[in-house]
Amino acid sequence: MAGAFWVIVEDDRQGAPKKVMAEALGEAARLSGGNVEAVWVTDKATDAGLTQLGEWGASKVWLLENAAFAPYRGEVWVPAVAELAAKESPKAIFAPVTSRQREFMARLAAKLGVGLCADAVGFKMDGDKLVGTRPVYAGKLLSKVAWKQMPWMATLRPNVFRPAESQAGKTAQVEKVGAAAAPEKLKFVERREEASTGLPELTEAETVISGGRGMKGPENYVILEEMGKVIGAAVGASRAAVDAGWRPHRFQIGQTGRTISPKLYLGFGVSGAIQHLAGMRTSKVIVAVNKDPEAPIFKIADYGIVGDLFEVVPALTTEFKKLLEK
Ligand SMILES: Cc1cc2nc3c(=O)[nH]c(=O)nc-3n(C[C@H](O)[C@H](O)[C@H](O)COP(=O)(O)OP(=O)(O)OC[C@H]3O[C@@H](n4cnc5c(N)ncnc54)[C@H](O)[C@@H]3O)c2cc1C
């Protein structure tokens, strides 16, 4: 329907929309009074995935299904969605912040010739115009942005917006779009999946444990992973730890790594450099453990322990186990 708020589907590549979709759909519904539609570009949608989108509030799913849409390549996806947007004139196009959507939304905005509010942390309607809020200067300031023209495009930071409540039995109308895949200039060669750690994904986790240079070596991350298993947390790292080769870059939190906004951030042996804070300062509760009482991270921490992490981590894990086993 013209004038709807669209949300681009981020899926797990197995046909299920990711949990962050509940947040993007929930926010789009709140702003549009329920006029929300999902746009799913995929090689294989599943019935369960379509049902889930309906239960999270999408009144319609525009389904662009084609074997050529996997794996994701911007130059193949963008023309298909741009053509549909030109035909259907959505008022807004949202997507959750993920590596794929960051790239896709920037390309789509360029193709449509409209502005993009990247990494939004808030929205409000000002009369009949949308105003977005996004962090700037490594998160030190928040800027308000408005769009000159529609569609209003934005990527939404995970764990910031209230997720839509799943309404059992609510269904979305599914509209299949006979989208052709654009010819490619690039040739896809190979996709390599990283082995799963068995812990939640860094940008989706409600609790994130971060280990810095104070971890002293890659072998010691096992104590953080043990804690992660007990409390269901993802384990990330500072750039110092990544640069030392202790953790792969996909685990880096900060300005040149991932931006996270979990309910709980626990930092161990992380000093709190501005570039690290840029990626985690919007966490709801920040806990820091550092042996240096002057470490800058204590300035933004809600709770701090001055101590040796090699004593504090096992002690905390033991207490978490006791509490959670009750
Ligand atoms: C352009 C640019 C981009 C950058 N991007 C990023 C980024 O994305 N992410 C990022 O993290 N950094 C980034 N950095 C690097 C950043 O400036 C810091 O160098 C880095 O964050 C420091 O990592 P750290 O806190 O682990 O190490 P350090 O600053 O060395 O801190 C280690 C801390 O561990 C404590 N410690 C040591 N042993 C123990 C112990 N046994 N128990 C408890 N505490 C202990 C120490 O007291 C110290 O505070 C960037 C820098 C630049 C210039």
Short mmCIF file of all heavy atoms in Angstrom, two decimals, residues 4-8 31 78 81-82 85-86 90-97 100-120 122-123 130-134 145-156:
data_model
loop_
_atom_site.label_atom_id
_atom_site.label_comp_id
_atom_site.label_asym_id
_atom_site.label_seq_id
_atom_site.Cartn_x
_atom_site.Cartn_y
_atom_site.Cartn_z
N ALA A 4 2.98 3.11 3.17
CA ALA A 4 3.28 2.19 4.28
C ALA A 4 4.72 2.37 4.75
O ALA A 4 5.55 2.93 4.03
CB ALA A 4 3.07 0.74 3.82
N PHE A 5 4.99 1.91 5.96
CA PHE A 5 6.36 1.82 6.45
C PHE A 5 6.86 0.42 6.10
O PHE A 5 6.24 -0.56 6.49
CB PHE A 5 6.41 2.01 7.97
CG PHE A 5 6.55 3.44 8.41
CD1 PHE A 5 5.66 4.41 7.96
CD2 PHE A 5 7.55 3.81 9.30
CE1 PHE A 5 5.78 5.73 8.38
CE2 PHE A 5 7.68 5.13 9.72
CZ PHE A 5 6.79 6.09 9.26
N TRP A 6 7.94 0.36 5.36
CA TRP A 6 8.52 -0.94 5.00
C TRP A 6 9.65 -1.29 5.98
O TRP A 6 10.40 -0.41 6.43
CB TRP A 6 9.14 -0.87 3.60
CG TRP A 6 8.17 -1.02 2.47
CD1 TRP A 6 6.81 -1.09 2.54
CD2 TRP A 6 8.52 -1.10 1.08
NE1 TRP A 6 6.28 -1.23 1.29
CE2 TRP A 6 7.31 -1.24 0.37
CE3 TRP A 6 9.71 -1.09 0.38
CZ2 TRP A 6 7.27 -1.36 -1.02
CZ3 TRP A 6 9.68 -1.20 -0.99
CH2 TRP A 6 8.47 -1.34 -1.68
N VAL A 7 9.77 -2.59 6.23
CA VAL A 7 10.93 -3.06 6.97
C VAL A 7 11.58 -4.18 6.14
O VAL A 7 10.92 -5.14 5.76
CB VAL A 7 10.56 -3.59 8.38
CG1 VAL A 7 11.81 -4.05 9.10
CG2 VAL A 7 9.85 -2.51 9.19
N ILE A 8 12.85 -3.99 5.82
CA ILE A 8 13.58 -5.01 5.05
C ILE A 8 13.93 -6.17 5.98
O ILE A 8 14.46 -5.95 7.08
CB ILE A 8 14.89 -4.42 4.45
CG1 ILE A 8 14.62 -3.14 3.65
CG2 ILE A 8 15.62 -5.47 3.61
CD1 ILE A 8 13.84 -3.29 2.37
N LEU A 31 5.19 4.10 14.79
CA LEU A 31 5.25 5.38 14.08
C LEU A 31 4.17 5.52 13.02
O LEU A 31 3.73 6.63 12.70
CB LEU A 31 6.63 5.53 13.41
CG LEU A 31 7.81 5.63 14.36
CD1 LEU A 31 9.12 5.38 13.61
CD2 LEU A 31 7.84 7.01 15.02
N VAL A 78 19.68 -4.58 -4.80
CA VAL A 78 19.25 -3.18 -4.83
C VAL A 78 18.30 -2.86 -6.00
O VAL A 78 17.22 -2.27 -5.78
CB VAL A 78 20.47 -2.21 -4.78
CG1 VAL A 78 20.07 -0.78 -5.09
CG2 VAL A 78 21.10 -2.28 -3.39
N VAL A 81 14.69 -4.19 -5.25
CA VAL A 81 13.92 -3.47 -4.22
C VAL A 81 13.64 -2.04 -4.68
O VAL A 81 12.55 -1.50 -4.45
CB VAL A 81 14.65 -3.49 -2.85
CG1 VAL A 81 13.87 -2.70 -1.81
CG2 VAL A 81 14.84 -4.93 -2.39
N ALA A 82 14.60 -1.43 -5.38
CA ALA A 82 14.39 -0.05 -5.86
C ALA A 82 13.22 0.00 -6.83
O ALA A 82 12.40 0.93 -6.79
CB ALA A 82 15.66 0.47 -6.52
N ALA A 85 10.04 -0.25 -4.82
CA ALA A 85 9.79 0.99 -4.07
C ALA A 85 9.26 2.08 -5.00
O ALA A 85 8.36 2.84 -4.65
CB ALA A 85 11.07 1.45 -3.38
N ALA A 86 9.82 2.14 -6.21
CA ALA A 86 9.36 3.16 -7.17
C ALA A 86 7.89 2.92 -7.52
O ALA A 86 7.12 3.87 -7.71
CB ALA A 86 10.22 3.11 -8.42
N PRO A 90 6.57 3.54 -0.74
CA PRO A 90 6.47 3.49 0.73
C PRO A 90 6.85 4.84 1.32
O PRO A 90 7.59 5.60 0.71
CB PRO A 90 7.50 2.42 1.11
CG PRO A 90 8.49 2.45 -0.01
CD PRO A 90 7.72 2.79 -1.25
N LYS A 91 6.33 5.09 2.53
CA LYS A 91 6.66 6.35 3.19
C LYS A 91 8.06 6.27 3.80
O LYS A 91 8.80 7.24 3.81
CB LYS A 91 5.63 6.56 4.30
CG LYS A 91 5.39 7.99 4.67
CD LYS A 91 4.26 8.06 5.66
CE LYS A 91 3.39 9.25 5.40
NZ LYS A 91 2.30 9.37 6.33
N ALA A 92 8.35 5.09 4.34
CA ALA A 92 9.65 4.90 5.02
C ALA A 92 10.17 3.51 4.70
O ALA A 92 9.39 2.61 4.41
CB ALA A 92 9.46 5.06 6.53
N ILE A 93 11.49 3.37 4.76
CA ILE A 93 12.10 2.03 4.63
C ILE A 93 13.09 1.88 5.78
O ILE A 93 14.05 2.64 5.90
CB ILE A 93 12.84 1.84 3.28
CG1 ILE A 93 11.90 2.15 2.10
CG2 ILE A 93 13.38 0.42 3.18
CD1 ILE A 93 12.54 1.99 0.72
N PHE A 94 12.81 0.90 6.65
CA PHE A 94 13.67 0.63 7.80
C PHE A 94 14.35 -0.72 7.63
O PHE A 94 13.85 -1.59 6.92
CB PHE A 94 12.84 0.54 9.10
CG PHE A 94 12.35 1.86 9.64
CD1 PHE A 94 12.60 3.06 9.01
CD2 PHE A 94 11.61 1.89 10.83
CE1 PHE A 94 12.15 4.27 9.53
CE2 PHE A 94 11.14 3.08 11.35
CZ PHE A 94 11.41 4.27 10.71
N ALA A 95 15.46 -0.89 8.33
CA ALA A 95 16.10 -2.20 8.44
C ALA A 95 16.91 -2.20 9.72
O ALA A 95 17.37 -1.14 10.16
CB ALA A 95 17.03 -2.45 7.25
N PRO A 96 17.07 -3.37 10.34
CA PRO A 96 17.93 -3.41 11.53
C PRO A 96 19.39 -3.24 11.14
O PRO A 96 19.76 -3.58 10.01
CB PRO A 96 17.69 -4.82 12.10
CG PRO A 96 17.13 -5.62 10.99
CD PRO A 96 16.50 -4.68 10.00
N VAL A 97 20.20 -2.72 12.05
CA VAL A 97 21.64 -2.61 11.75
C VAL A 97 22.26 -4.00 11.80
O VAL A 97 22.29 -4.64 12.85
CB VAL A 97 22.36 -1.70 12.78
CG1 VAL A 97 23.88 -1.76 12.55
CG2 VAL A 97 21.88 -0.28 12.70
N ARG A 100 25.02 -6.82 6.71
CA ARG A 100 24.39 -6.88 5.39
C ARG A 100 23.49 -5.66 5.15
O ARG A 100 23.55 -5.02 4.11
CB ARG A 100 23.57 -8.18 5.33
CG ARG A 100 22.83 -8.40 4.08
CD ARG A 100 22.48 -9.86 3.90
NE ARG A 100 21.46 -10.34 4.83
CZ ARG A 100 20.83 -11.52 4.67
NH1 ARG A 100 21.14 -12.31 3.67
NH2 ARG A 100 19.93 -11.91 5.55
N GLN A 101 22.68 -5.32 6.14
CA GLN A 101 21.73 -4.21 5.95
C GLN A 101 22.43 -2.86 5.90
O GLN A 101 21.96 -1.93 5.25
CB GLN A 101 20.64 -4.21 7.03
CG GLN A 101 19.78 -5.46 7.05
CD GLN A 101 18.99 -5.67 5.76
OE1 GLN A 101 18.84 -4.76 4.94
NE2 GLN A 101 18.48 -6.87 5.55
N ARG A 102 23.52 -2.73 6.63
CA ARG A 102 24.29 -1.48 6.57
C ARG A 102 24.66 -1.19 5.11
O ARG A 102 24.52 -0.09 4.62
CB ARG A 102 25.61 -1.66 7.32
CG ARG A 102 25.69 -1.02 8.66
CD ARG A 102 27.14 -1.19 9.14
NE ARG A 102 27.22 -1.45 10.55
CZ ARG A 102 27.12 -0.51 11.49
NH1 ARG A 102 26.94 0.73 11.14
NH2 ARG A 102 27.20 -0.82 12.76
N GLU A 103 25.16 -2.21 4.43
CA GLU A 103 25.61 -2.00 3.06
C GLU A 103 24.41 -1.86 2.12
O GLU A 103 24.35 -0.95 1.29
CB GLU A 103 26.49 -3.18 2.62
CG GLU A 103 27.34 -2.80 1.45
CD GLU A 103 27.42 -3.85 0.36
OE1 GLU A 103 26.40 -4.50 0.03
OE2 GLU A 103 28.49 -3.99 -0.19
N PHE A 104 23.45 -2.75 2.30
CA PHE A 104 22.30 -2.74 1.40
C PHE A 104 21.54 -1.41 1.47
O PHE A 104 21.20 -0.81 0.45
CB PHE A 104 21.35 -3.91 1.75
CG PHE A 104 20.03 -3.81 1.06
CD1 PHE A 104 19.94 -4.05 -0.31
CD2 PHE A 104 18.89 -3.43 1.74
CE1 PHE A 104 18.72 -3.93 -0.97
CE2 PHE A 104 17.68 -3.32 1.09
CZ PHE A 104 17.59 -3.56 -0.27
N MET A 105 21.29 -0.92 2.67
CA MET A 105 20.48 0.29 2.83
C MET A 105 21.22 1.52 2.28
O MET A 105 20.59 2.42 1.70
CB MET A 105 20.12 0.49 4.30
CG MET A 105 19.15 -0.55 4.82
SD MET A 105 17.48 -0.35 4.15
CE MET A 105 16.84 0.92 5.23
N ALA A 106 22.53 1.56 2.44
CA ALA A 106 23.29 2.69 1.90
C ALA A 106 23.21 2.69 0.37
O ALA A 106 22.97 3.72 -0.27
CB ALA A 106 24.74 2.60 2.35
N ARG A 107 23.33 1.51 -0.21
CA ARG A 107 23.24 1.41 -1.68
C ARG A 107 21.83 1.75 -2.17
O ARG A 107 21.67 2.43 -3.18
CB ARG A 107 23.56 -0.02 -2.13
CG ARG A 107 25.03 -0.37 -2.16
CD ARG A 107 25.16 -1.84 -2.48
NE ARG A 107 26.51 -2.29 -2.68
CZ ARG A 107 27.04 -2.57 -3.88
NH1 ARG A 107 26.35 -2.43 -4.97
NH2 ARG A 107 28.28 -2.98 -3.97
N LEU A 108 20.82 1.27 -1.43
CA LEU A 108 19.44 1.52 -1.84
C LEU A 108 19.13 3.03 -1.76
O LEU A 108 18.50 3.59 -2.65
CB LEU A 108 18.47 0.71 -0.98
CG LEU A 108 16.99 0.82 -1.35
CD1 LEU A 108 16.72 0.27 -2.75
CD2 LEU A 108 16.10 0.09 -0.33
N ALA A 109 19.59 3.66 -0.68
CA ALA A 109 19.35 5.10 -0.52
C ALA A 109 19.99 5.87 -1.67
O ALA A 109 19.39 6.79 -2.24
CB ALA A 109 19.90 5.59 0.81
N ALA A 110 21.20 5.46 -2.04
CA ALA A 110 21.88 6.14 -3.15
C ALA A 110 21.10 5.93 -4.44
O ALA A 110 20.91 6.87 -5.23
CB ALA A 110 23.30 5.60 -3.29
N LYS A 111 20.62 4.72 -4.64
CA LYS A 111 19.87 4.42 -5.87
C LYS A 111 18.57 5.23 -5.94
O LYS A 111 18.17 5.72 -7.00
CB LYS A 111 19.56 2.91 -5.88
CG LYS A 111 18.78 2.41 -7.06
CD LYS A 111 19.72 2.01 -8.17
CE LYS A 111 18.96 1.42 -9.33
NZ LYS A 111 19.83 1.30 -10.50
N LEU A 112 17.90 5.37 -4.77
CA LEU A 112 16.63 6.11 -4.75
C LEU A 112 16.85 7.61 -4.65
O LEU A 112 15.90 8.39 -4.76
CB LEU A 112 15.76 5.64 -3.56
CG LEU A 112 15.31 4.16 -3.58
CD1 LEU A 112 14.54 3.82 -2.30
CD2 LEU A 112 14.43 3.88 -4.80
N GLY A 113 18.09 8.00 -4.36
CA GLY A 113 18.41 9.43 -4.26
C GLY A 113 17.81 10.09 -3.02
O GLY A 113 17.43 11.25 -3.04
N VAL A 114 17.74 9.31 -1.93
CA VAL A 114 17.19 9.88 -0.68
C VAL A 114 18.21 9.72 0.44
O VAL A 114 19.21 9.01 0.30
CB VAL A 114 15.86 9.19 -0.28
CG1 VAL A 114 14.79 9.41 -1.33
CG2 VAL A 114 16.06 7.69 -0.01
N GLY A 115 17.93 10.37 1.58
CA GLY A 115 18.86 10.32 2.71
C GLY A 115 18.67 9.07 3.54
O GLY A 115 17.60 8.44 3.53
N LEU A 116 19.72 8.71 4.28
CA LEU A 116 19.67 7.54 5.16
C LEU A 116 20.11 7.94 6.56
O LEU A 116 21.18 8.52 6.73
CB LEU A 116 20.60 6.44 4.63
CG LEU A 116 20.79 5.22 5.53
CD1 LEU A 116 19.54 4.35 5.55
CD2 LEU A 116 21.98 4.38 5.07
N CYS A 117 19.28 7.66 7.54
CA CYS A 117 19.65 7.89 8.94
C CYS A 117 20.22 6.57 9.45
O CYS A 117 19.47 5.65 9.78
CB CYS A 117 18.41 8.31 9.73
SG CYS A 117 18.66 8.40 11.51
N ALA A 118 21.56 6.47 9.44
CA ALA A 118 22.19 5.20 9.79
C ALA A 118 22.34 5.09 11.30
O ALA A 118 22.66 6.06 11.97
CB ALA A 118 23.55 5.11 9.12
N ASP A 119 22.08 3.87 11.82
CA ASP A 119 22.34 3.58 13.23
C ASP A 119 21.42 4.38 14.16
O ASP A 119 21.83 4.86 15.21
CB ASP A 119 23.80 3.92 13.52
CG ASP A 119 24.39 2.99 14.55
OD1 ASP A 119 23.77 1.96 14.84
OD2 ASP A 119 25.46 3.32 15.08
N ALA A 120 20.15 4.51 13.75
CA ALA A 120 19.20 5.32 14.54
C ALA A 120 18.96 4.71 15.91
O ALA A 120 18.91 3.49 16.07
CB ALA A 120 17.88 5.42 13.79
N GLY A 122 16.50 6.46 17.91
CA GLY A 122 15.19 6.98 18.32
C GLY A 122 14.49 7.66 17.15
O GLY A 122 15.14 8.06 16.18
N PHE A 123 13.16 7.72 17.23
CA PHE A 123 12.37 8.41 16.22
C PHE A 123 11.21 9.10 16.90
O PHE A 123 10.73 8.65 17.94
CB PHE A 123 11.73 7.40 15.23
CG PHE A 123 12.72 6.66 14.38
CD1 PHE A 123 13.07 5.36 14.70
CD2 PHE A 123 13.30 7.26 13.28
CE1 PHE A 123 13.97 4.66 13.93
CE2 PHE A 123 14.21 6.56 12.49
CZ PHE A 123 14.54 5.26 12.82
N LEU A 130 8.87 12.67 9.86
CA LEU A 130 9.63 11.83 10.78
C LEU A 130 10.95 12.51 11.15
O LEU A 130 11.60 13.11 10.29
CB LEU A 130 9.93 10.48 10.11
CG LEU A 130 10.66 9.44 10.96
CD1 LEU A 130 9.79 8.96 12.10
CD2 LEU A 130 11.10 8.25 10.11
N VAL A 131 11.31 12.42 12.43
CA VAL A 131 12.62 12.92 12.87
C VAL A 131 13.36 11.75 13.52
O VAL A 131 12.80 11.05 14.37
CB VAL A 131 12.45 14.08 13.89
CG1 VAL A 131 13.83 14.55 14.40
CG2 VAL A 131 11.70 15.25 13.26
N GLY A 132 14.58 11.51 13.08
CA GLY A 132 15.37 10.40 13.63
C GLY A 132 16.48 10.94 14.53
O GLY A 132 16.91 12.08 14.39
N THR A 133 16.92 10.10 15.46
CA THR A 133 18.05 10.46 16.32
C THR A 133 19.15 9.44 16.11
O THR A 133 18.88 8.24 16.09
CB THR A 133 17.63 10.43 17.81
OG1 THR A 133 16.52 11.30 17.98
CG2 THR A 133 18.75 10.87 18.73
N ARG A 134 20.36 9.94 15.92
CA ARG A 134 21.50 9.02 15.74
C ARG A 134 22.75 9.56 16.44
O ARG A 134 22.93 10.79 16.54
CB ARG A 134 21.77 8.78 14.25
CG ARG A 134 22.17 10.02 13.48
CD ARG A 134 22.35 9.69 12.02
NE ARG A 134 23.41 8.71 11.83
CZ ARG A 134 24.68 9.02 11.58
NH1 ARG A 134 25.05 10.28 11.46
NH2 ARG A 134 25.59 8.09 11.44
N VAL A 145 17.86 14.16 12.85
CA VAL A 145 17.87 14.31 11.39
C VAL A 145 16.46 14.20 10.83
O VAL A 145 15.62 13.48 11.37
CB VAL A 145 18.77 13.25 10.69
CG1 VAL A 145 20.21 13.39 11.11
CG2 VAL A 145 18.29 11.85 10.98
N ALA A 146 16.22 14.95 9.76
CA ALA A 146 14.94 14.84 9.05
C ALA A 146 15.28 14.64 7.57
O ALA A 146 16.41 14.91 7.15
CB ALA A 146 14.11 16.10 9.26
N TRP A 147 14.33 14.18 6.83
CA TRP A 147 14.57 13.85 5.43
C TRP A 147 13.96 14.92 4.52
O TRP A 147 12.88 15.45 4.83
CB TRP A 147 13.94 12.50 5.09
CG TRP A 147 14.60 11.31 5.71
CD1 TRP A 147 15.43 10.44 5.10
CD2 TRP A 147 14.48 10.85 7.06
NE1 TRP A 147 15.84 9.46 5.97
CE2 TRP A 147 15.27 9.69 7.19
CE3 TRP A 147 13.80 11.31 8.20
CZ2 TRP A 147 15.38 8.98 8.38
CZ3 TRP A 147 13.92 10.60 9.39
CH2 TRP A 147 14.70 9.45 9.46
N LYS A 148 14.62 15.18 3.41
CA LYS A 148 14.07 16.15 2.46
C LYS A 148 12.95 15.52 1.67
O LYS A 148 12.04 16.18 1.22
CB LYS A 148 15.17 16.61 1.50
CG LYS A 148 16.07 17.65 2.10
CD LYS A 148 16.89 18.31 1.01
CE LYS A 148 17.80 19.35 1.59
NZ LYS A 148 19.03 19.48 0.84
N GLN A 149 13.07 14.22 1.43
CA GLN A 149 12.03 13.56 0.66
C GLN A 149 11.85 12.11 1.08
O GLN A 149 12.71 11.54 1.76
CB GLN A 149 12.35 13.63 -0.84
CG GLN A 149 13.57 12.84 -1.23
CD GLN A 149 14.25 13.41 -2.44
OE1 GLN A 149 15.01 14.36 -2.34
NE2 GLN A 149 13.96 12.85 -3.59
N MET A 150 10.73 11.56 0.68
CA MET A 150 10.43 10.17 1.01
C MET A 150 11.00 9.25 -0.07
O MET A 150 11.13 9.70 -1.20
CB MET A 150 8.92 10.00 1.11
CG MET A 150 8.37 10.64 2.37
SD MET A 150 6.68 10.10 2.63
CE MET A 150 5.78 11.57 2.29
N PRO A 151 11.22 7.98 0.22
CA PRO A 151 10.99 7.34 1.52
C PRO A 151 12.06 7.71 2.56
O PRO A 151 13.23 7.87 2.21
CB PRO A 151 11.07 5.85 1.19
CG PRO A 151 11.89 5.76 -0.05
CD PRO A 151 11.66 7.03 -0.81
N TRP A 152 11.58 7.84 3.81
CA TRP A 152 12.50 8.09 4.92
C TRP A 152 13.22 6.78 5.20
O TRP A 152 12.60 5.80 5.61
CB TRP A 152 11.72 8.51 6.17
CG TRP A 152 10.79 9.67 5.95
CD1 TRP A 152 11.03 10.80 5.22
CD2 TRP A 152 9.45 9.80 6.46
NE1 TRP A 152 9.94 11.64 5.27
CE2 TRP A 152 8.96 11.05 6.03
CE3 TRP A 152 8.64 9.01 7.27
CZ2 TRP A 152 7.69 11.51 6.35
CZ3 TRP A 152 7.38 9.47 7.59
CH2 TRP A 152 6.90 10.70 7.14
N MET A 153 14.54 6.77 4.99
CA MET A 153 15.27 5.50 5.16
C MET A 153 16.13 5.53 6.43
O MET A 153 16.77 6.55 6.72
CB MET A 153 16.17 5.24 3.95
CG MET A 153 15.36 4.90 2.70
SD MET A 153 16.42 4.33 1.36
CE MET A 153 17.13 2.84 2.07
N ALA A 154 16.13 4.42 7.14
CA ALA A 154 16.92 4.36 8.38
C ALA A 154 17.30 2.93 8.72
O ALA A 154 16.55 2.00 8.43
CB ALA A 154 16.12 4.95 9.54
N THR A 155 18.50 2.78 9.32
CA THR A 155 18.84 1.50 9.93
C THR A 155 18.74 1.69 11.44
O THR A 155 19.09 2.74 11.98
CB THR A 155 20.27 1.04 9.55
OG1 THR A 155 21.19 2.09 9.83
CG2 THR A 155 20.36 0.67 8.09
N LEU A 156 18.22 0.67 12.12
CA LEU A 156 17.89 0.79 13.55
C LEU A 156 18.86 -0.05 14.39
O LEU A 156 19.03 -1.24 14.13
CB LEU A 156 16.46 0.29 13.81
CG LEU A 156 15.30 1.21 13.45
CD1 LEU A 156 15.23 1.48 11.94
CD2 LEU A 156 13.98 0.61 13.90
#
